[in-house]
Amino acid sequence: MTARRPGRRTGEPNTKDEILTAARKLFSESGFERTTLRQVAQDAGVDVALISHYFGNKRGLFVASIEFPSDPVAVLAPMHECRIDDLAEVGLRAVLGVWTSPAGPAVVARFRQAVASGETDLIRDLLTGVILAPIRERLHDQTDLELRLSLYASQIAGLLVTRELLTLPAVVGTDIDRLVEVVAPNLQRYLTGKI
């Protein structure tokens, strides 16, 4: 058996799990914005480069640490390319697309579990640090941006609750195109209109 050199560990069989354990703890205690990859690496006893190797970046690590079954960054990628006036529609279609995809039940179950177990900080950080990020980047010079984003998020969360948790028949029975037609204009007003 070869003696291990002192210093930070390189990738070993349990390394990825240990990184995730450290990340969950730090994200829960400090939130998405205040947690750094260096802190996670230090707590896990690994080189920070391993986090990039396994998870790409902090958002990737965060998504993996909360066991979200769909990659929000990939789902919301079209929001980086669309017209500003189409942000709400494109974002809403992306979110509804996840809910109606094979990953949808797992997404809703994870949301329900997080709320029931009091992990609301993690859900808030997923929302503000990951899901709203493309909108924040596109509208960075908009006045009252954080209020706008919060109002946008409130409508998306409300739709999730009424459609997927409470299963209100009128909302569940309405197809995605119709929901987008009805809801997106109000969402767009929150993002770029008068508030």
Side-chain angles (χ1 to χ4, degrees), residues 161-178:
V161 169
T162 56
R163 187 175 194 271
E164 304 298 331
L165 301 182
L166 301 177
T167 61
L168 294 182
V171 181
V172 173
T174 302
D175 67 54
I176 287 179
D177 288 336
R178 179 73 175 132

Side-chain angles (χ1 to χ4, degrees), residues 116 118 121:
D121 289 348

Side-chain angles (χ1 to χ4, degrees), residues 3 25 31 46 53 61 103 129 143 182 186 194:
K25 177 179 175 284
V46 300
H53 170 73
L61 175 62
T143 58
V182 172
N186 197 45
K194 182 173 171 47

